[in-house]
Amino acid sequence: MKKQFLSVAMGIAFLAMATACNSTKTDSSTGDSAAMDTAMADTSMTSKEAGVEVGGAMMVPSKNIVENAMGSNDHTTLVAAVKQAGLVETLSGAGPFTVFAPTNEAFAKVPAATLSDLMKPAMKADLTKILTYHVVSGALKSSDLKDGMELTTVQGQKLKISMKDGKWMVNGVNITIPDVISSNGVTYVIDGVLMPK
């Protein structure tokens, strides 16, 4: 928060100085210069924290996995399921975690009745089992993955990583966006829901 405040303050000071320096120029050149200065300030502020765009929102390393997921329009079903299972606090914790995050489209492939049943309070244990099957302890980037490697999930069973046509997969499900870095781990966007045995 303090870093963001300082960045904004520096940007405002920079714009104020640029406007003062340009005040002796003609109106049209002042407008062009101010627009250019604003664009430069915006670029410098954005470059301080690069991220990955997921579901229309920028996923940034200063936010935890849950905070980033809550910003994604493509992960509203996952966020609702995490809340229903009572896993928000856990996945907001220090971790680190590697999370394979199914999109809304991935959840849409699950029969509607099954998904509806899983979201009932009586099914919390089953929902938790499925969600924790998508989580691995440690922060694994795609550079750490190897074709054929097995990862033990928080749920206890294993996931198998594979590469097909130059693209990573987990249990045969496509990883569509790798290496979404958060403050407490790494997220991989996937196009299917992983079901434990």
Side-chain angles (χ1 to χ4, degrees):
M1 180 85 172
K2 190 174 180 183
K3 251 182 168 177
Q4 289 174 336
F5 176 76
L6 288 173
S7 296
V8 171
M10 286 173 53
I12 291 169
F14 177 75
L15 287 175
M17 285 189 343
T19 305
C21 291
N22 289 331
S23 63
T24 58
K25 296 182 182 178
T26 64
D27 287 345
S28 65
S29 66
T30 301
D32 292 344
S33 181
M36 202 161 100
D37 290 340
T38 302
M40 285 173 29
D42 286 348
T43 303
S44 68
M45 281 188 232
T46 321
S47 66
K48 288 189 188 282
E49 187 169 23
V52 177
E53 188 172 328
V54 177
M58 191 60 67
M59 307 288 117
V60 292
S62 63
K63 293 182 179 177
N64 67 45
I65 289 168
V66 174
E67 290 169 333
N68 272 325
M70 289 175 80
S72 169
N73 292 328
D74 292 343
H75 290 88
T76 55
T77 305
L78 177 61
V79 169
V82 166
K83 287 178 181 177
Q84 181 64 28
L87 294 172
V88 171
E89 191 175 328
T90 302
L91 292 175
S92 297
F97 305 106
T98 298
V99 175
F100 296 95
T103 60
N104 293 341
E105 285 184 12
F107 277 104
K109 295 175 188 176
V110 175
T114 302
L115 189 56
S116 179
D117 283 346
L118 282 170
M119 295 299 278
K120 292 177 180 171
M123 299 294 285
K124 183 176 178 179
D126 290 335
L127 180 61
T128 300
K129 183 178 178 183
I130 292 168
L131 293 176
T132 55
Y133 186 61
H134 290 75
V135 182
V136 175
S137 291
L140 297 170
K141 295 182 182 174
S142 58
S143 57
D144 300 318
L145 302 180
K146 292 179 177 49
D147 190 20
M149 82 186 299
E150 290 189 338
L151 305 173
T152 303
T153 67
V154 171
Q155 180 263 349
Q157 294 181 27
K158 294 188 182 294
L159 296 173
K160 187 164 186 176
I161 301 294
S162 59
M163 176 157 300
K164 185 177 180 184
D165 300 326
K167 294 183 180 177
W168 289 114
M169 301 177 84
V170 56
N171 282 13
V173 169
N174 295 310
I175 293 174
T176 57
I177 304 175
D179 299 327
V180 180
I181 308 299
S182 296
S183 62
N184 63 341
V186 181
T187 301
Y188 291 85
V189 177
I190 59 175
D191 67 359
V193 176
L194 307 172
M195 292 296 206
K197 293 174 185 172

